[in-house]
Amino acid sequence: MPLRHVPDVPFCCFSAIRAALLIQRWYRQYVARLEMRRRCTWNIFQSIEYAGEQDQIKLYHFFGFLMDHFTPASSERNLISHIFRENEVCRDADWERYFCYKDIEVPDSYCGPHLAFPMTFCGVSKLMEAFKLKQQLHARYVLQILGETWRLLRILPNINHVSVCHTKEITICGDLHGQLEDLLLIFYKNGLPSCEKPYVFNGDFVDRGKNSLEILLILFGFLLVYPNEVHLNRGNHEDHIVNLRYGFTKEVLGKYRVHGKKILKLLQKIFSWLPLATVINHKVLVVHGGISDSTDLDMVARMDRHRVREASSSSQIRVPPPPGALADQHLGPGSEEQHPASLPPQPAHRRRPAELLGGGRAEGEAQAGWVRSDLQRSEDIVNLLWSDPMPQNGCISNEVRGGGCYWGPDVTEEVLGKHNLQLLIRSHECKQDGYEFCHNRRVLTIFSASNYYEVGSNRGYQASRTCRELTLRQRSTRSALRALRQQLFVHKSDLVGAFQEFDPNNTGVISLRHWATATERVLKLGLPWRVLRPQLINRAQHGMVDYQQWIRELSITDIMETMYKNHSNLETIFRIIDTDHSGLISFEEFRQTWKLLSSHLKMEISDKAITDLAQSMDFNKDGSIDINEFMEAFRLVDLSTHA
Amino acid sequence: MPPKKIEPKKPEPKKPEPKKDAAPAAKPAPPPEPLPEPPKEPDFDPKSVAIEFSTDQIEEFKEAFTLFDRTPTGEMKITYAQCGDVMRALGQNPTNADVLKVLGKPRPEDMSIKMLDFETFLPMLQHISRAKNQGNFEDFVEGLRVFDKEGNGTIMGAELRHVLATLGERMTEDEVDRLMAGQEDANGCINYTSFVKHILSGYIYMVHFFSS
């Protein structure tokens, strides 16, 4: 900024200095308050997201509950086997026929991009331009790209080995999560992938954002054009069960009403075939989640990665096959699809994450050899995709996520040392400031797509950041508060119970301290409640909180509250039941599901209440329930108590 | 902007000062009359501060303090450099000099290394909260009026930038840019009454957000 000639100003004038000091103080205070607000907002989102991941654990427990409590004779058997029904064993050739795009015609009215194959750089550029203009690629081309990608991925190894010569750099990108602008911004600032510009995309391309499919198509496009320079690692969100919950399934079905199911099925296969890690110059290991004390890269390199379709702890649930089914199953490496249902009849054995890392191993040993390796394989993958580092030594199960582990600096040293590596780069964790080193700078976390990392061997490691705070852009304080108020809303009865424990005389008011304690006890979000209180609930006089007034302001019945509380689980369950992805489930399926869920939650809900509910949800009055319409009913209206 | 190279900052080990030899005993000249020293302000003594905050207030401060804790194991500690910001986030308005004083006038290199816990922080906060003369609307306006050459209610943006960057506790170019964003008209002039309202209004919004 050029220093303009300033005319004759009395610089030593006391009031000038005083004015400057005043303004400077106030400005600094404003900035500090902004910072606190920013951190608060961040904490809210973090805690609610982690709580959502815990919900995922509850879902898996629910399935375990089903397995433990419902015998083949019980009336819900059909529903359960329907839920867990796996597809028939097929060969790749059969799948290729199913996925064939050739019969799909592109109408003249289609004004999106036309693609030619084999894929070229021009083709991918055309694709990107089209997506920038919010156009949608025709299903025919989608299936074509996905088909080519699937074929390519099947010949790639589990671990990409990359050599970057000393004049080049390689760029590593963190989680993209469906945010197309992030990807485009990285390409804009850093350049497009090419022979001169290698890239590693470290997983979590999909879910949450609304352009997950576009991101995949662009990444796969570049992968097809530059298979030696573009490397994709699988993330924990490249998993169709997780996608049911976090939005990708919905996105695809919404955009492709006719061919969405086929696209999703092909994507399931592609995800299972994504490589698990990348090693650069024999020195740097790049993986989405992390490692565990049992990580052995040589074993990882040898496994059949595609046999683990769900890279999450749900794959630990084994279903006893229906009697007589065994004769029809193909066993051994020849068959393409090994399902849990094709294991030899053992008692259903649900292994919790803790068991996997501790005593459970002895039981695993007792099972047939190849069964053990099947489970071990999926455990290894879960660890690579779900683990988080921790400051203390050791390796413990990751209860927060429900999968993978927390690993300490000693494990880092051991695993890196075993394979002669210098650095582990991973993503998976979202934090405020960008990248973060830990474990004596042996582990680097790149947090989001807004932050990418350049590795150039002549310049050492550099981390760079884009200047937009993209991770916070969408996360305004207002939406954080709205999400938090929703949490209060759906936990109303538990909160009231907790408040009343502090109010034996039923006065309807409790102290601020008791309010904060009770709220944390119920919600368990670890948030600064006193700081947030003015935005959540009105204060009565003298430092007391009038909770009964708050109750009066909300109106929600018990069954509705249960539904709201579990709505994301409900949606996931419904989508699993809807195995043909038609978007509809029958009355009977709805009723049975609800009954199961309520018995699992130990709630008393009468058949009549469920039937009434089902009927009120049948918006078309045709005897089936449209899942999307059902879930629409759950979008909570913004509570306007505090604007 | 070129990417920054990340290097962990290692504190320099303090080298012991070589002891000077005693000067040979020559006849010393009579010492000049010492100049009258300005009255020395006593150093800040945290033990002398009586905490007057209520329990509720202290609990709330603790929450805010935790928000700023960046230690990997959540030790409830902040660096000296963060101390001023945390105090400001809690509604206080110290100058940087005020903050350095309660911190015991640490060396610049210690600011991002030395840590303090909440128990140490609280008396400092109490002391700062007792400061009078926070400055109000009229004080601001009066101060800026100094630069109003034509007495017409406006000052030159460039002048104000210069003042904020060179006088008092100087702001960086970045900080000045952010503060003055959108304040100057086409001629580079600022109506300083609305400017002051702009600064104060940001504060008021924060007050509503975080306290009652």
Side-chain angles (χ1 to χ4, degrees), chain A residues 3-4 6 9 15 19 24-26 28-29 32-33 37 39 43 433 435 462 528-531, chain B residues 6 56 59 63 67 70 85 91-93 95 140 146 156 159 162 164 167 169-170 203 205 207 210:
Chain A
L3 184 61
R4 292 200 356 222
V6 221
V9 174
S15 62
Q24 287 154 350
R25 266 159 79 183
W26 282 95
R28 289 182 174 124
Q29 195 202 53
R33 295 207 134 192
R37 184 171 74 163
R39 288 173 190 236
N43 279 16
D433 290 336
Y435 55 84
Q462 298 185 11
W529 294 110
R530 290 160 183 273
V531 171
Chain B
I6 307 304
D56 276 342
E59 290 301 311
E63 278 185 355
L67 275 174
R70 306 291 284 152
D85 285 336
Q92 302 309 319
N93 207 0
T95 61
F140 274 108
V146 168
M156 293 294 294
E159 258 184 60
H162 191 68
L164 293 175
L167 293 189
E169 293 186 337
R170 308 175 196 181
Y203 166 65
Y205 172 64
V207 170
F210 278 111

Tab-separated table of all heavy atoms in Angstrom, chain A residues 3-4 6 9 15 19 24-26 28-29 32-33 37 39 43 433 435 462 528-531, chain B residues 6 56 59 63 67 70 85 91-93 95 140 146 156 159 162 164 167 169-170 203 205 207 210:
chain	number	residue	atom	x	y	z
A	3	LEU	N	2.405	4.766	0.550
A	3	LEU	CA	2.266	5.750	1.627
A	3	LEU	C	2.053	7.120	0.981
A	3	LEU	O	2.966	7.681	0.389
A	3	LEU	CB	3.538	5.734	2.478
A	3	LEU	CG	3.492	6.651	3.698
A	3	LEU	CD1	2.379	6.218	4.620
A	3	LEU	CD2	4.817	6.598	4.401
A	4	ARG	N	0.825	7.603	1.074
A	4	ARG	CA	0.574	8.895	0.436
A	4	ARG	C	1.127	10.003	1.289
A	4	ARG	O	1.263	9.851	2.501
A	4	ARG	CB	-0.922	9.075	0.248
A	4	ARG	CG	-1.406	8.082	-0.787
A	4	ARG	CD	-2.699	8.372	-1.439
A	4	ARG	NE	-3.461	9.488	-1.023
A	4	ARG	CZ	-4.765	9.424	-0.868
A	4	ARG	NH1	-5.380	8.286	-1.052
A	4	ARG	NH2	-5.442	10.496	-0.528
A	6	VAL	N	1.121	12.644	3.630
A	6	VAL	CA	0.119	13.061	4.615
A	6	VAL	C	0.426	14.490	5.024
A	6	VAL	O	1.557	14.775	5.411
A	6	VAL	CB	0.147	12.163	5.857
A	6	VAL	CG1	-1.237	11.865	6.310
A	6	VAL	CG2	0.897	10.895	5.583
A	9	VAL	N	0.053	16.867	10.116
A	9	VAL	CA	-0.818	16.324	11.166
A	9	VAL	C	-0.041	16.332	12.466
A	9	VAL	O	1.120	15.963	12.491
A	9	VAL	CB	-1.211	14.869	10.834
A	9	VAL	CG1	-1.990	14.250	11.970
A	9	VAL	CG2	-2.012	14.835	9.547
A	15	SER	N	-4.199	13.555	21.888
A	15	SER	CA	-5.521	13.009	21.570
A	15	SER	C	-5.473	12.146	20.322
A	15	SER	O	-6.267	11.217	20.182
A	15	SER	CB	-6.555	14.117	21.418
A	15	SER	OG	-6.193	14.965	20.357
A	19	ALA	N	-6.757	8.467	20.403
A	19	ALA	CA	-7.761	7.979	19.451
A	19	ALA	C	-7.286	6.679	18.814
A	19	ALA	O	-8.048	5.711	18.692
A	19	ALA	CB	-8.030	9.029	18.378
A	24	GLN	N	-7.652	0.861	18.113
A	24	GLN	CA	-6.890	-0.387	18.029
A	24	GLN	C	-7.385	-1.395	19.051
A	24	GLN	O	-7.571	-2.573	18.755
A	24	GLN	CB	-5.398	-0.103	18.233
A	24	GLN	CG	-4.772	0.578	17.046
A	24	GLN	CD	-3.563	1.413	17.426
A	24	GLN	OE1	-3.276	1.648	18.604
A	24	GLN	NE2	-2.831	1.865	16.426
A	25	ARG	N	-7.642	-0.917	20.249
A	25	ARG	CA	-8.172	-1.821	21.286
A	25	ARG	C	-9.500	-2.437	20.884
A	25	ARG	O	-9.720	-3.635	21.017
A	25	ARG	CB	-8.429	-1.017	22.561
A	25	ARG	CG	-7.303	-1.034	23.535
A	25	ARG	CD	-7.415	0.125	24.455
A	25	ARG	NE	-8.405	-0.133	25.486
A	25	ARG	CZ	-8.741	0.748	26.397
A	25	ARG	NH1	-8.197	1.951	26.373
A	25	ARG	NH2	-9.619	0.455	27.327
A	26	TRP	N	-10.388	-1.575	20.430
A	26	TRP	CA	-11.715	-2.072	20.081
A	26	TRP	C	-11.650	-3.040	18.923
A	26	TRP	O	-12.349	-4.056	18.897
A	26	TRP	CB	-12.657	-0.915	19.758
A	26	TRP	CG	-13.142	-0.272	21.018
A	26	TRP	CD1	-12.604	0.820	21.623
A	26	TRP	CD2	-14.226	-0.707	21.830
A	26	TRP	NE1	-13.281	1.092	22.772
A	26	TRP	CE2	-14.279	0.189	22.935
A	26	TRP	CE3	-15.133	-1.744	21.741
A	26	TRP	CZ2	-15.231	0.049	23.932
A	26	TRP	CZ3	-16.082	-1.873	22.740
A	26	TRP	CH2	-16.117	-0.975	23.821
A	28	ARG	N	-9.205	-5.006	18.152
A	28	ARG	CA	-8.663	-6.278	18.620
A	28	ARG	C	-9.700	-7.053	19.430
A	28	ARG	O	-9.754	-8.275	19.372
A	28	ARG	CB	-7.388	-6.044	19.426
A	28	ARG	CG	-6.286	-5.621	18.486
A	28	ARG	CD	-4.938	-5.398	19.098
A	28	ARG	NE	-4.010	-5.144	18.005
A	28	ARG	CZ	-3.251	-4.077	17.892
A	28	ARG	NH1	-3.262	-3.158	18.834
A	28	ARG	NH2	-2.461	-3.910	16.843
A	29	GLN	N	-10.518	-6.327	20.154
A	29	GLN	CA	-11.551	-7.025	20.902
A	29	GLN	C	-12.573	-7.650	19.941
A	29	GLN	O	-12.993	-8.790	20.122
A	29	GLN	CB	-12.272	-6.084	21.849
A	29	GLN	CG	-13.083	-6.859	22.864
A	29	GLN	CD	-14.193	-6.045	23.464
A	29	GLN	OE1	-14.990	-5.468	22.748
A	29	GLN	NE2	-14.253	-6.006	24.780
A	32	ALA	N	-11.151	-10.786	18.541
A	32	ALA	CA	-11.089	-11.891	19.505
A	32	ALA	C	-12.464	-12.519	19.681
A	32	ALA	O	-12.605	-13.738	19.776
A	32	ALA	CB	-10.555	-11.393	20.843
A	33	ARG	N	-13.489	-11.673	19.721
A	33	ARG	CA	-14.841	-12.205	19.895
A	33	ARG	C	-15.259	-13.014	18.681
A	33	ARG	O	-15.944	-14.023	18.786
A	33	ARG	CB	-15.810	-11.070	20.126
A	33	ARG	CG	-15.492	-10.365	21.426
A	33	ARG	CD	-16.676	-9.708	22.033
A	33	ARG	NE	-16.735	-10.018	23.441
A	33	ARG	CZ	-17.778	-9.773	24.196
A	33	ARG	NH1	-18.851	-9.247	23.669
A	33	ARG	NH2	-17.745	-10.060	25.469
A	37	ARG	N	-16.392	-16.960	18.599
A	37	ARG	CA	-17.624	-17.404	17.959
A	37	ARG	C	-17.318	-18.482	16.926
A	37	ARG	O	-18.016	-19.485	16.804
A	37	ARG	CB	-18.319	-16.229	17.294
A	37	ARG	CG	-19.665	-16.600	16.690
A	37	ARG	CD	-20.422	-15.396	16.228
A	37	ARG	NE	-19.877	-14.851	15.012
A	37	ARG	CZ	-20.531	-14.010	14.225
A	37	ARG	NH1	-21.739	-13.618	14.561
A	37	ARG	NH2	-19.982	-13.543	13.139
A	39	ARG	N	-14.829	-20.587	16.939
A	39	ARG	CA	-14.492	-21.847	17.594
A	39	ARG	C	-15.737	-22.534	18.152
A	39	ARG	O	-15.867	-23.749	18.103
A	39	ARG	CB	-13.488	-21.606	18.722
A	39	ARG	CG	-12.124	-21.276	18.184
A	39	ARG	CD	-11.172	-20.869	19.285
A	39	ARG	NE	-9.962	-20.349	18.698
A	39	ARG	CZ	-8.750	-20.820	18.960
A	39	ARG	NH1	-8.606	-21.812	19.802
A	39	ARG	NH2	-7.696	-20.287	18.392
A	43	ASN	N	-16.989	-26.207	17.225
A	43	ASN	CA	-17.224	-27.258	18.220
A	43	ASN	C	-18.617	-27.844	18.090
A	43	ASN	O	-18.811	-29.046	18.230
A	43	ASN	CB	-17.054	-26.692	19.637
A	43	ASN	CG	-15.600	-26.616	20.021
A	43	ASN	OD1	-14.731	-26.694	19.167
A	43	ASN	ND2	-15.330	-26.456	21.304
A	433	ASP	N	-7.920	-25.526	11.541
A	433	ASP	CA	-6.908	-24.648	10.962
A	433	ASP	C	-6.193	-25.146	9.723
A	433	ASP	O	-5.275	-24.516	9.271
A	433	ASP	CB	-5.848	-24.332	12.017
A	433	ASP	CG	-6.415	-23.432	13.095
A	433	ASP	OD1	-7.391	-22.738	12.789
A	433	ASP	OD2	-5.887	-23.450	14.214
A	435	TYR	N	-3.852	-28.016	8.128
A	435	TYR	CA	-3.108	-29.256	8.317
A	435	TYR	C	-2.556	-29.285	9.733
A	435	TYR	O	-2.439	-28.259	10.388
A	435	TYR	CB	-1.976	-29.358	7.298
A	435	TYR	CG	-1.060	-28.166	7.319
A	435	TYR	CD1	-0.014	-28.079	8.234
A	435	TYR	CD2	-1.254	-27.106	6.451
A	435	TYR	CE1	0.806	-26.969	8.268
A	435	TYR	CE2	-0.446	-26.005	6.477
A	435	TYR	CZ	0.589	-25.941	7.388
A	435	TYR	OH	1.381	-24.833	7.415
A	462	GLN	N	6.118	-29.282	1.833
A	462	GLN	CA	5.484	-27.996	2.074
A	462	GLN	C	3.995	-28.203	2.142
A	462	GLN	O	3.443	-29.008	1.417
A	462	GLN	CB	5.786	-27.039	0.939
A	462	GLN	CG	7.258	-26.756	0.810
A	462	GLN	CD	7.510	-25.712	-0.233
A	462	GLN	OE1	6.594	-25.069	-0.706
A	462	GLN	NE2	8.760	-25.538	-0.596
A	528	PRO	N	-19.520	-25.686	25.229
A	528	PRO	CA	-19.548	-24.641	26.268
A	528	PRO	C	-20.960	-24.137	26.476
A	528	PRO	O	-21.375	-23.128	25.888
A	528	PRO	CB	-18.625	-23.568	25.690
A	528	PRO	CG	-18.687	-23.745	24.219
A	528	PRO	CD	-18.899	-25.202	23.972
A	529	TRP	N	-21.746	-24.807	27.329
A	529	TRP	CA	-23.172	-24.523	27.437
A	529	TRP	C	-23.483	-23.143	27.979
A	529	TRP	O	-24.443	-22.511	27.548
A	529	TRP	CB	-23.847	-25.598	28.305
A	529	TRP	CG	-23.795	-26.931	27.652
A	529	TRP	CD1	-23.055	-28.012	28.019
A	529	TRP	CD2	-24.480	-27.319	26.459
A	529	TRP	NE1	-23.249	-29.046	27.141
A	529	TRP	CE2	-24.112	-28.651	26.181
A	529	TRP	CE3	-25.384	-26.675	25.607
A	529	TRP	CZ2	-24.615	-29.346	25.072
A	529	TRP	CZ3	-25.875	-27.375	24.511
A	529	TRP	CH2	-25.490	-28.695	24.262
A	530	ARG	N	-22.689	-22.678	28.948
A	530	ARG	CA	-22.996	-21.359	29.500
A	530	ARG	C	-22.805	-20.266	28.464
A	530	ARG	O	-23.560	-19.303	28.410
A	530	ARG	CB	-22.081	-21.072	30.682
A	530	ARG	CG	-22.389	-21.912	31.867
A	530	ARG	CD	-21.178	-21.937	32.781
A	530	ARG	NE	-21.415	-22.799	33.907
A	530	ARG	CZ	-21.995	-22.374	35.016
A	530	ARG	NH1	-22.387	-21.133	35.122
A	530	ARG	NH2	-22.175	-23.224	36.011
A	531	VAL	N	-21.748	-20.450	27.670
A	531	VAL	CA	-21.500	-19.459	26.632
A	531	VAL	C	-22.656	-19.445	25.627
A	531	VAL	O	-23.068	-18.398	25.138
A	531	VAL	CB	-20.166	-19.788	25.925
A	531	VAL	CG1	-19.973	-18.939	24.704
A	531	VAL	CG2	-19.007	-19.587	26.884
B	6	ILE	N	7.234	-24.775	6.934
B	6	ILE	CA	6.888	-24.992	8.330
B	6	ILE	C	8.106	-25.488	9.078
B	6	ILE	O	8.682	-26.504	8.740
B	6	ILE	CB	5.783	-26.054	8.453
B	6	ILE	CG1	4.610	-25.675	7.557
B	6	ILE	CG2	5.350	-26.196	9.885
B	6	ILE	CD1	4.059	-24.322	7.849
B	56	ASP	N	-20.820	-18.454	38.760
B	56	ASP	CA	-21.372	-18.609	37.418
B	56	ASP	C	-20.467	-17.968	36.382
B	56	ASP	O	-20.188	-18.542	35.331
B	56	ASP	CB	-22.761	-17.966	37.321
B	56	ASP	CG	-23.838	-18.921	37.811
B	56	ASP	OD1	-23.561	-20.128	37.882
B	56	ASP	OD2	-24.949	-18.448	38.115
B	59	GLU	N	-17.368	-20.039	35.895
B	59	GLU	CA	-17.633	-21.230	35.079
B	59	GLU	C	-17.686	-20.866	33.606
B	59	GLU	O	-17.195	-21.593	32.744
B	59	GLU	CB	-18.952	-21.887	35.501
B	59	GLU	CG	-18.900	-22.553	36.865
B	59	GLU	CD	-17.847	-23.638	36.924
B	59	GLU	OE1	-17.805	-24.498	36.026
B	59	GLU	OE2	-17.031	-23.616	37.859
B	63	GLU	N	-15.235	-22.080	30.382
B	63	GLU	CA	-15.672	-22.624	29.092
B	63	GLU	C	-14.965	-21.912	27.946
B	63	GLU	O	-14.468	-22.536	27.012
B	63	GLU	CB	-17.184	-22.449	28.936
B	63	GLU	CG	-17.998	-23.514	29.629
B	63	GLU	CD	-19.480	-23.360	29.344
B	63	GLU	OE1	-19.866	-22.373	28.685
B	63	GLU	OE2	-20.244	-24.219	29.793
B	67	LEU	N	-12.161	-23.184	25.065
B	67	LEU	CA	-12.302	-23.026	23.616
B	67	LEU	C	-10.989	-22.629	22.976
B	67	LEU	O	-10.717	-22.964	21.830
B	67	LEU	CB	-13.344	-21.951	23.293
B	67	LEU	CG	-14.805	-22.387	23.264
B	67	LEU	CD1	-15.684	-21.170	23.067
B	67	LEU	CD2	-15.047	-23.382	22.154
B	70	ARG	N	-5.315	-25.033	22.873
B	70	ARG	CA	-4.858	-25.731	21.676
B	70	ARG	C	-3.888	-26.863	21.985
B	70	ARG	O	-3.258	-27.402	21.092
B	70	ARG	CB	-4.167	-24.752	20.709
B	70	ARG	CG	-4.991	-23.567	20.352
B	70	ARG	CD	-6.163	-23.913	19.516
B	70	ARG	NE	-5.772	-24.177	18.149
B	70	ARG	CZ	-6.420	-24.986	17.311
B	70	ARG	NH1	-7.469	-25.614	17.714
B	70	ARG	NH2	-6.010	-25.161	16.081
B	85	ASP	N	-6.162	-12.176	23.728
B	85	ASP	CA	-7.342	-12.520	22.940
B	85	ASP	C	-8.430	-13.134	23.799
B	85	ASP	O	-9.614	-12.863	23.612
B	85	ASP	CB	-6.962	-13.511	21.834
B	85	ASP	CG	-6.217	-12.810	20.719
B	85	ASP	OD1	-6.400	-11.589	20.572
B	85	ASP	OD2	-5.458	-13.483	20.007
B	91	GLY	N	-14.891	-10.066	26.883
B	91	GLY	CA	-15.530	-8.770	27.061
B	91	GLY	C	-14.636	-7.687	27.612
B	91	GLY	O	-15.087	-6.563	27.791
B	92	GLN	N	-13.372	-7.989	27.889
B	92	GLN	CA	-12.481	-6.955	28.369
B	92	GLN	C	-11.842	-6.249	27.193
B	92	GLN	O	-11.911	-6.706	26.065
B	92	GLN	CB	-11.387	-7.551	29.276
B	92	GLN	CG	-11.942	-8.280	30.461
B	92	GLN	CD	-12.953	-7.442	31.205
B	92	GLN	OE1	-12.758	-6.244	31.385
B	92	GLN	NE2	-14.047	-8.052	31.611
B	93	ASN	N	-11.212	-5.129	27.514
B	93	ASN	CA	-10.707	-4.287	26.434
B	93	ASN	C	-9.313	-3.747	26.729
B	93	ASN	O	-9.089	-2.547	26.681
B	93	ASN	CB	-11.686	-3.138	26.247
B	93	ASN	CG	-11.654	-2.612	24.846
B	93	ASN	OD1	-10.900	-3.099	24.025
B	93	ASN	ND2	-12.453	-1.605	24.575
B	95	THR	N	-5.271	-2.834	26.430
B	95	THR	CA	-4.283	-2.602	25.388
B	95	THR	C	-3.265	-3.734	25.480
B	95	THR	O	-3.241	-4.478	26.467
B	95	THR	CB	-3.542	-1.278	25.610
B	95	THR	OG1	-2.870	-1.354	26.875
B	95	THR	CG2	-4.496	-0.104	25.602
B	140	PHE	N	-14.096	8.473	21.159
B	140	PHE	CA	-13.636	8.106	19.823
B	140	PHE	C	-13.742	9.276	18.868
B	140	PHE	O	-12.807	9.628	18.151
B	140	PHE	CB	-14.528	7.007	19.229
B	140	PHE	CG	-14.135	5.618	19.597
B	140	PHE	CD1	-14.889	4.887	20.476
B	140	PHE	CD2	-13.008	5.040	19.037
B	140	PHE	CE1	-14.537	3.603	20.793
B	140	PHE	CE2	-12.664	3.750	19.355
B	140	PHE	CZ	-13.429	3.031	20.239
B	146	VAL	N	-9.603	15.366	15.525
B	146	VAL	CA	-8.282	15.984	15.351
B	146	VAL	C	-7.880	16.003	13.879
B	146	VAL	O	-7.217	16.914	13.407
B	146	VAL	CB	-7.238	15.181	16.174
B	146	VAL	CG1	-5.833	15.586	15.812
B	146	VAL	CG2	-7.514	15.377	17.653
B	156	MET	N	-9.598	11.848	5.971
B	156	MET	CA	-9.036	11.101	4.853
B	156	MET	C	-8.716	9.687	5.293
B	156	MET	O	-8.051	9.471	6.314
B	156	MET	CB	-7.730	11.763	4.380
B	156	MET	CG	-7.938	13.113	3.762
B	156	MET	SD	-8.853	12.982	2.236
B	156	MET	CE	-7.691	12.099	1.211
B	159	GLU	N	-5.067	8.984	5.840
B	159	GLU	CA	-4.545	9.490	7.112
B	159	GLU	C	-4.843	8.516	8.236
B	159	GLU	O	-3.976	8.197	9.066
B	159	GLU	CB	-5.231	10.808	7.452
B	159	GLU	CG	-4.399	12.026	7.183
B	159	GLU	CD	-5.113	13.284	7.638
B	159	GLU	OE1	-5.396	13.360	8.849
B	159	GLU	OE2	-5.387	14.132	6.785
B	162	HIS	N	-2.741	5.541	8.133
B	162	HIS	CA	-1.382	5.867	8.552
B	162	HIS	C	-1.305	5.946	10.071
B	162	HIS	O	-0.396	5.396	10.699
B	162	HIS	CB	-0.983	7.190	7.919
B	162	HIS	CG	0.473	7.493	8.066
B	162	HIS	ND1	1.446	6.767	7.431
B	162	HIS	CD2	1.118	8.429	8.788
B	162	HIS	CE1	2.639	7.246	7.746
B	162	HIS	NE2	2.469	8.256	8.579
B	164	LEU	N	-3.322	4.572	12.331
B	164	LEU	CA	-3.506	3.278	12.984
B	164	LEU	C	-2.286	2.383	12.825
B	164	LEU	O	-2.016	1.542	13.679
B	164	LEU	CB	-4.747	2.575	12.417
B	164	LEU	CG	-6.088	3.237	12.744
B	164	LEU	CD1	-7.230	2.522	12.043
B	164	LEU	CD2	-6.319	3.245	14.247
B	167	LEU	N	0.870	4.928	14.959
B	167	LEU	CA	0.736	5.427	16.325
B	167	LEU	C	0.203	4.345	17.246
B	167	LEU	O	-0.315	3.322	16.799
B	167	LEU	CB	-0.238	6.622	16.361
B	167	LEU	CG	0.174	7.906	15.671
B	167	LEU	CD1	-0.821	8.999	16.031
B	167	LEU	CD2	1.574	8.335	16.073
B	169	GLU	N	-0.616	1.376	19.504
B	169	GLU	CA	-0.190	-0.027	19.372
B	169	GLU	C	-0.494	-0.437	17.946
B	169	GLU	O	-1.573	-0.918	17.618
B	169	GLU	CB	-0.925	-0.885	20.388
B	169	GLU	CG	-0.497	-0.519	21.801
B	169	GLU	CD	-1.088	-1.435	22.845
B	169	GLU	OE1	-2.134	-2.053	22.580
B	169	GLU	OE2	-0.485	-1.534	23.938
B	170	ARG	N	0.516	-0.300	17.148
B	170	ARG	CA	0.313	-0.312	15.700
B	170	ARG	C	-0.413	-1.556	15.201
B	170	ARG	O	-0.185	-2.668	15.671
B	170	ARG	CB	1.654	-0.252	14.988
B	170	ARG	CG	2.482	0.880	15.476
B	170	ARG	CD	3.834	0.828	14.844
B	170	ARG	NE	4.752	1.683	15.578
B	170	ARG	CZ	6.011	1.845	15.238
B	170	ARG	NH1	6.480	1.214	14.190
B	170	ARG	NH2	6.781	2.632	15.956
B	203	TYR	N	-19.055	-4.733	18.261
B	203	TYR	CA	-18.922	-5.122	19.652
B	203	TYR	C	-20.276	-5.449	20.246
B	203	TYR	O	-20.473	-6.432	20.910
B	203	TYR	CB	-18.250	-4.000	20.436
B	203	TYR	CG	-18.381	-4.186	21.923
B	203	TYR	CD1	-17.773	-5.272	22.550
B	203	TYR	CD2	-19.121	-3.306	22.686
B	203	TYR	CE1	-17.903	-5.456	23.909
B	203	TYR	CE2	-19.245	-3.490	24.047
B	203	TYR	CZ	-18.635	-4.563	24.653
B	203	TYR	OH	-18.769	-4.736	25.993
B	205	TYR	N	-22.990	-6.457	18.882
B	205	TYR	CA	-23.522	-7.725	18.390
B	205	TYR	C	-22.920	-8.888	19.161
B	205	TYR	O	-23.576	-9.832	19.529
B	205	TYR	CB	-23.227	-7.834	16.899
B	205	TYR	CG	-23.562	-9.172	16.335
B	205	TYR	CD1	-24.877	-9.631	16.323
B	205	TYR	CD2	-22.585	-10.010	15.814
B	205	TYR	CE1	-25.185	-10.864	15.799
B	205	TYR	CE2	-22.893	-11.232	15.288
B	205	TYR	CZ	-24.196	-11.653	15.292
B	205	TYR	OH	-24.506	-12.873	14.778
B	207	VAL	N	-21.755	-8.811	22.147
B	207	VAL	CA	-22.249	-8.841	23.521
B	207	VAL	C	-23.567	-9.609	23.552
B	207	VAL	O	-23.781	-10.470	24.381
B	207	VAL	CB	-22.459	-7.409	24.047
B	207	VAL	CG1	-23.204	-7.445	25.369
B	207	VAL	CG2	-21.127	-6.733	24.237
B	210	PHE	N	-22.996	-13.460	23.193
B	210	PHE	CA	-22.351	-14.310	24.178
B	210	PHE	C	-22.645	-14.009	25.618
B	210	PHE	O	-22.228	-14.754	26.466
B	210	PHE	CB	-20.833	-14.282	23.993
B	210	PHE	CG	-20.411	-15.214	22.916
B	210	PHE	CD1	-19.905	-14.731	21.726
B	210	PHE	CD2	-20.541	-16.574	23.071
B	210	PHE	CE1	-19.523	-15.593	20.728
B	210	PHE	CE2	-20.166	-17.428	22.062
B	210	PHE	CZ	-19.653	-16.939	20.897
